[in-house]
Every structure is written in structure tokens, then in C-alpha cells.
Amino acid sequence: RAIQQRVLGAEAMETITTTANIACTLNYQGKFKECEELNRELIGVQRRVLGAEHPNTLSTRYNLCLVLYDQHKVREADAGCREVLSAYQRGLGADHPDTQSTARLLEQISESIEH
């Protein structure tokens, strides 16, 4: 990633993709704090390069909600998930798999807040 950033730049699509893959790997390894930090960084880049409601940006925001939930940061996960769900509904429609996955995650988060 460091070499890509130096050669291609932090906003190159190849660098963005590599960063997203690293964030996913960190999540799978249970390195939630590092994953959260990298996802937040990535979202900033994606918003500048792709736009706030681009599907890739929304996917990264969804992943951030997952890692926040895994860290028991349920209020922040809930707020973020509601925003992502709304954007998916506007852009992809209620029947799209990404919209439905986000709705299911929001349901899990909401249930954990209630208990």
C-alpha cells in the first residue's frame, strides 16, 4: 500500500482497492481498531474521489458499521447504518441485495441497543 500510494497516489483506484482489501483482512483478523481507522481514512478518500453515495463508498461505510458493531460501539454503528441504508434505498432500491444486507445489519444493531 505504501508503495502504491507513493507511485500512484492515495486517490488512485488501485490504491483505494488495496486499502479496502487490507481493511477487510484486518477485520477478519479481529484487529478492529486498526480496521476502523483504515475504513475511516478510506471513506474520506472515496468521498473525494467517487462521491458520498457511490456504491463503493457506501460499501466501505457499511463495513465501518460492522466493525463498530463488533467493538460494541452500537450507537455510532446504528447512526451510520441508518445513513447507509437510506442512501442504498435512494440509489439502488429496496430490493437490492446491498440494501437488504444493510437493513438486516441495522435490525441486529437495533436489537442489541434494546437489550
Short mmCIF file of all heavy atoms in Angstrom, two decimals, residues 86-109:
data_model
loop_
_atom_site.label_atom_id
_atom_site.label_comp_id
_atom_site.label_asym_id
_atom_site.label_seq_id
_atom_site.Cartn_x
_atom_site.Cartn_y
_atom_site.Cartn_z
N SER A 86 -30.39 4.43 4.00
CA SER A 86 -31.14 5.46 3.28
C SER A 86 -30.52 5.74 1.90
O SER A 86 -31.23 5.84 0.89
CB SER A 86 -31.17 6.74 4.12
OG SER A 86 -31.86 7.77 3.44
N ALA A 87 -29.20 5.82 1.85
CA ALA A 87 -28.52 6.06 0.58
C ALA A 87 -28.70 4.89 -0.38
O ALA A 87 -28.93 5.08 -1.59
CB ALA A 87 -27.04 6.33 0.82
N TYR A 88 -28.59 3.67 0.14
CA TYR A 88 -28.82 2.50 -0.71
C TYR A 88 -30.26 2.48 -1.24
O TYR A 88 -30.49 2.16 -2.41
CB TYR A 88 -28.55 1.20 0.06
CG TYR A 88 -27.13 0.72 0.04
CD1 TYR A 88 -26.58 0.10 1.16
CD2 TYR A 88 -26.33 0.81 -1.09
CE1 TYR A 88 -25.28 -0.38 1.16
CE2 TYR A 88 -25.03 0.33 -1.11
CZ TYR A 88 -24.51 -0.27 0.02
OH TYR A 88 -23.22 -0.76 0.01
N GLN A 89 -31.22 2.80 -0.40
CA GLN A 89 -32.61 2.81 -0.84
C GLN A 89 -32.82 3.82 -1.97
O GLN A 89 -33.51 3.52 -2.95
CB GLN A 89 -33.55 3.10 0.33
CG GLN A 89 -33.66 1.94 1.29
CD GLN A 89 -34.39 2.28 2.58
OE1 GLN A 89 -34.39 3.44 3.01
NE2 GLN A 89 -34.99 1.28 3.20
N ARG A 90 -32.21 4.99 -1.84
CA ARG A 90 -32.33 6.01 -2.88
C ARG A 90 -31.64 5.58 -4.17
O ARG A 90 -32.17 5.76 -5.26
CB ARG A 90 -31.70 7.34 -2.42
CG ARG A 90 -32.52 8.13 -1.45
CD ARG A 90 -31.96 9.54 -1.26
NE ARG A 90 -30.56 9.57 -0.85
CZ ARG A 90 -30.14 9.47 0.40
NH1 ARG A 90 -31.02 9.31 1.38
NH2 ARG A 90 -28.85 9.52 0.69
N GLY A 91 -30.45 5.02 -4.04
CA GLY A 91 -29.65 4.72 -5.21
C GLY A 91 -29.88 3.37 -5.84
O GLY A 91 -29.82 3.23 -7.06
N LEU A 92 -30.14 2.37 -5.02
CA LEU A 92 -30.24 1.00 -5.54
C LEU A 92 -31.64 0.40 -5.43
O LEU A 92 -31.93 -0.59 -6.08
CB LEU A 92 -29.26 0.09 -4.79
CG LEU A 92 -27.78 0.47 -4.87
CD1 LEU A 92 -26.94 -0.46 -3.99
CD2 LEU A 92 -27.28 0.45 -6.30
N GLY A 93 -32.47 0.99 -4.58
CA GLY A 93 -33.81 0.46 -4.38
C GLY A 93 -33.87 -0.53 -3.23
O GLY A 93 -32.86 -1.08 -2.81
N ALA A 94 -35.07 -0.75 -2.74
CA ALA A 94 -35.29 -1.59 -1.56
C ALA A 94 -34.97 -3.06 -1.79
O ALA A 94 -34.64 -3.78 -0.85
CB ALA A 94 -36.73 -1.44 -1.09
N ASP A 95 -35.06 -3.53 -3.03
CA ASP A 95 -34.88 -4.95 -3.30
C ASP A 95 -33.43 -5.35 -3.60
O ASP A 95 -33.15 -6.54 -3.74
CB ASP A 95 -35.76 -5.38 -4.49
CG ASP A 95 -37.24 -5.27 -4.15
OD1 ASP A 95 -37.60 -5.44 -2.97
OD2 ASP A 95 -38.04 -5.02 -5.08
N HIS A 96 -32.54 -4.39 -3.68
CA HIS A 96 -31.14 -4.70 -4.00
C HIS A 96 -30.49 -5.45 -2.82
O HIS A 96 -30.76 -5.14 -1.66
CB HIS A 96 -30.36 -3.42 -4.29
CG HIS A 96 -29.02 -3.67 -4.87
ND1 HIS A 96 -27.92 -3.98 -4.10
CD2 HIS A 96 -28.60 -3.68 -6.16
CE1 HIS A 96 -26.88 -4.15 -4.89
NE2 HIS A 96 -27.26 -3.97 -6.14
N PRO A 97 -29.65 -6.45 -3.11
CA PRO A 97 -29.01 -7.21 -2.03
C PRO A 97 -28.23 -6.36 -1.03
O PRO A 97 -28.24 -6.66 0.18
CB PRO A 97 -28.08 -8.18 -2.77
CG PRO A 97 -28.69 -8.32 -4.12
CD PRO A 97 -29.33 -7.00 -4.42
N ASP A 98 -27.55 -5.31 -1.49
CA ASP A 98 -26.81 -4.44 -0.56
C ASP A 98 -27.76 -3.70 0.38
O ASP A 98 -27.47 -3.54 1.56
CB ASP A 98 -25.93 -3.44 -1.31
CG ASP A 98 -24.76 -4.10 -2.02
OD1 ASP A 98 -24.45 -5.27 -1.70
OD2 ASP A 98 -24.16 -3.45 -2.90
N THR A 99 -28.89 -3.27 -0.15
CA THR A 99 -29.90 -2.61 0.68
C THR A 99 -30.44 -3.57 1.72
O THR A 99 -30.55 -3.24 2.91
CB THR A 99 -31.06 -2.08 -0.20
OG1 THR A 99 -30.52 -1.26 -1.24
CG2 THR A 99 -32.04 -1.27 0.62
N GLN A 100 -30.73 -4.79 1.30
CA GLN A 100 -31.28 -5.79 2.21
C GLN A 100 -30.28 -6.20 3.28
O GLN A 100 -30.64 -6.36 4.45
CB GLN A 100 -31.79 -6.99 1.42
CG GLN A 100 -32.99 -6.64 0.57
CD GLN A 100 -33.47 -7.78 -0.29
OE1 GLN A 100 -32.84 -8.83 -0.38
NE2 GLN A 100 -34.62 -7.59 -0.93
N SER A 101 -29.01 -6.34 2.91
CA SER A 101 -27.97 -6.67 3.90
C SER A 101 -27.84 -5.58 4.94
O SER A 101 -27.69 -5.85 6.13
CB SER A 101 -26.61 -6.87 3.20
OG SER A 101 -26.63 -7.98 2.38
N THR A 102 -27.91 -4.34 4.48
CA THR A 102 -27.79 -3.21 5.39
C THR A 102 -29.00 -3.16 6.33
O THR A 102 -28.85 -2.89 7.52
CB THR A 102 -27.64 -1.89 4.61
OG1 THR A 102 -26.52 -2.02 3.72
CG2 THR A 102 -27.41 -0.71 5.54
N ALA A 103 -30.18 -3.45 5.80
CA ALA A 103 -31.39 -3.47 6.63
C ALA A 103 -31.27 -4.56 7.71
O ALA A 103 -31.66 -4.33 8.87
CB ALA A 103 -32.62 -3.70 5.77
N ARG A 104 -30.72 -5.71 7.34
CA ARG A 104 -30.54 -6.79 8.33
C ARG A 104 -29.53 -6.40 9.41
O ARG A 104 -29.74 -6.66 10.59
CB ARG A 104 -30.11 -8.09 7.64
CG ARG A 104 -31.26 -8.79 6.92
CD ARG A 104 -30.87 -10.19 6.46
NE ARG A 104 -29.76 -10.20 5.52
CZ ARG A 104 -29.87 -10.05 4.20
NH1 ARG A 104 -31.07 -9.88 3.66
NH2 ARG A 104 -28.81 -10.10 3.43
N LEU A 105 -28.44 -5.74 9.00
CA LEU A 105 -27.46 -5.29 9.98
C LEU A 105 -28.08 -4.27 10.91
O LEU A 105 -27.89 -4.33 12.14
CB LEU A 105 -26.22 -4.69 9.29
CG LEU A 105 -25.17 -4.09 10.22
CD1 LEU A 105 -24.63 -5.14 11.20
CD2 LEU A 105 -24.05 -3.45 9.41
N LEU A 106 -28.84 -3.35 10.37
CA LEU A 106 -29.50 -2.34 11.21
C LEU A 106 -30.45 -2.99 12.20
O LEU A 106 -30.51 -2.59 13.37
CB LEU A 106 -30.24 -1.32 10.34
CG LEU A 106 -30.96 -0.21 11.10
CD1 LEU A 106 -29.99 0.59 11.97
CD2 LEU A 106 -31.68 0.72 10.11
N GLU A 107 -31.14 -4.02 11.77
CA GLU A 107 -32.03 -4.75 12.67
C GLU A 107 -31.24 -5.38 13.82
O GLU A 107 -31.65 -5.29 14.98
CB GLU A 107 -32.76 -5.84 11.87
CG GLU A 107 -33.88 -6.50 12.63
CD GLU A 107 -34.63 -7.49 11.75
OE1 GLU A 107 -35.10 -7.08 10.68
OE2 GLU A 107 -34.73 -8.67 12.14
N GLN A 108 -30.10 -5.99 13.51
CA GLN A 108 -29.24 -6.58 14.57
C GLN A 108 -28.77 -5.51 15.53
O GLN A 108 -28.79 -5.71 16.75
CB GLN A 108 -28.00 -7.22 13.93
CG GLN A 108 -28.17 -8.59 13.41
CD GLN A 108 -26.82 -9.10 12.93
OE1 GLN A 108 -26.29 -8.64 11.93
NE2 GLN A 108 -26.29 -10.06 13.65
N ILE A 109 -28.31 -4.41 14.98
CA ILE A 109 -27.79 -3.32 15.82
C ILE A 109 -28.90 -2.80 16.73
O ILE A 109 -28.71 -2.61 17.93
CB ILE A 109 -27.19 -2.20 14.97
CG1 ILE A 109 -25.94 -2.70 14.23
CG2 ILE A 109 -26.87 -0.97 15.81
CD1 ILE A 109 -25.43 -1.75 13.15
#
